Amino acid sequence: MTSPISVRIKPREHDLGGFSVRRVLPHALCRLVGPFVFFDHMGPAQFEPGQGIDVRPHPHIGLATVTYLFEGVITHRDSLGVLQDIHPGDVNWMTAGRGIVHSERSPADLRGRGHGLHGIQTWIALPEADEEIEPGFWHYPSADLPRWNQNGVDLVLIAGTCFGRQSPTRTYSPMLYLAADFQPGATLRLPNEHAERAAYVVGGELSVGGETTPLAAGEMAILQPGGEVELHAKAAARVMLCGGAPLSGARFVWWNFVSSRRERIEQAKQDWQAGRFASVPGETEFIPLPE
């Protein structure tokens, strides 16, 4: 029997001073899944009073960033003047387009006490026709997202379409982004709606299509195209499902820049170094261009 898994990915883990980040995509075995060119698993982390995250202002082009939290709060500020806290279950969708700058920090009220942080951050490559659109930011409260239970699996449609439902989250190409919490013994049959699909295990274990070796926490399975795929969890498991239509051409990724043209990334480097990006109101710091 042909395996439903084409590639298994184990992420690279980075310790950012007591804060663990697992970089899943891009990976040497798989650069992207549908429009997903970047997939980071943040935490879970526990901060002592007075501590938190401080991601200083930095630029993006040619992509959309999507933040989804399981625990904690992050304050987003950007060069459009947006100031927005994101809480667990909400979605922050930021379209960079021709260029945007933003920061991400732990809110002041949380720094005064111990708090946790756990979530997923992804980058969505924009279609070539939309790479240079005006930047924008959209916040979707948890209550606005499609939520339902299917055969013992609690599902949240973060973005795109699946199981006959559509998320209100702004998208630019056909895609799937689904959070799935499996109850013990639950099975989910992932339909063949999207050409490229992947499953990432946040916690627990997941059996894919009857494979004898389950996916462990921190592993991503790139699924074979075509056909329904059975996902089963013997015990409770948290899984993120993502994918979508293949991009029309190659994408180049350097630092925080994504583009179908290498020369566009070179221009973005020069623009950031020369201070030609817009600034973030209320921020005085920034992350320098890497050498």
Side-chain angles (χ1 to χ4, degrees):
M1 183 180 73
T2 303
S3 171
I5 299 175
S6 62
V7 177
R8 283 178 180 251
I9 292 175
K10 291 186 178 181
R12 295 156 289 160
E13 188 164 347
H14 305 277
D15 185 356
L16 304 180
F19 177 48
S20 173
V21 175
R22 299 174 183 86
R23 177 69 44 80
V24 186
L25 295 175
H27 192 277
L29 298 176
C30 181
R31 303 300 298 175
L32 73 171
V33 181
F36 287 79
V37 295
F38 177 97
F39 191 109
D40 257 9
H41 180 184
M42 308 179 296
Q46 190 67 33
F47 294 102
E48 297 297 324
Q51 297 180 337
I53 65 164
D54 283 294
V55 181
R56 295 168 292 162
H58 57 281
H60 289 286
I61 65 164
L63 56 83
T65 67
V66 186
T67 303
Y68 187 80
L69 298 181
F70 308 118
E71 180 185 8
V73 183
I74 294 177
T75 298
H76 162 98
R77 288 183 175 87
D78 66 38
S79 51
L80 300 177
V82 175
L83 172 60
Q84 176 67 58
D85 283 347
I86 181 171
H87 295 261
D90 297 345
V91 172
N92 272 8
W93 178 289
M94 184 184 76
T95 298
R98 62 177 176 79
I100 198 169
V101 180
H102 77 132
S103 67
E104 295 167 296
R105 300 182 186 272
S106 297
D109 61 330
L110 281 189
R111 290 180 187 270
R113 60 184 191 273
H115 65 280
L117 184 65
H118 189 200
I120 304 291
Q121 287 196 316
T122 57
W123 293 356
I124 310 296
L126 299 176
E128 289 184 50
D130 295 315
E131 285 184 318
E132 297 297 326
I133 62 174
E134 290 295 311
F137 179 89
W138 294 267
H139 175 78
Y140 301 90
S142 174
D144 290 353
L145 302 176
R147 295 173 174 271
W148 72 102
N149 182 280
Q150 190 160 317
N151 301 322
V153 185
D154 292 318
L155 299 170
V156 181
L157 189 53
I158 298 169
T161 60
C162 196
F163 295 111
R165 292 170 168 84
Q166 181 168 351
S167 171
T169 305
R170 184 183 186 90
T171 58
Y172 297 86
S173 61
M175 62 177 289
L176 157 73
Y177 195 18
L178 187 69
D181 284 329
F182 286 73
Q183 298 170 14
T187 296
L188 183 70
R189 298 183 182 278
L190 187 64
N192 181 31
E193 179 181 347
H194 297 278
E196 297 183 359
R197 300 165 295 173
Y200 176 75
V201 180
V202 177
E205 289 186 342
L206 185 72
S207 174
V208 180
E211 287 276 288
T212 54
T213 304
L215 281 182
E219 283 190 299
M220 174 178 277
I222 309 301
L223 305 178
Q224 296 282 7
E228 185 180 74
V229 178
E230 183 179 281
L231 308 174
H232 176 75
K234 289 184 178 179
R238 171 168 284 167
V239 178
M240 303 297 280
L241 303 168
C242 66
L247 294 174
S248 58
R251 290 298 184 278
F252 304 104
V253 181
W254 188 89
W255 192 37
N256 302 312
F257 305 139
V258 174
S259 180
S260 59
R261 299 176 293 124
R262 290 187 188 275
E263 61 270 21
R264 180 64 182 92
I265 290 180
E266 291 303 316
Q267 182 63 56
K269 290 181 187 179
Q270 296 173 25
D271 289 343
W272 183 244
Q273 205 158 28
R276 289 191 287 265
F277 276 85
S279 60
V280 179
E283 293 274 12
T284 57
E285 300 178 298
F286 66 92
I287 299 178
L289 188 77
E291 296 182 358

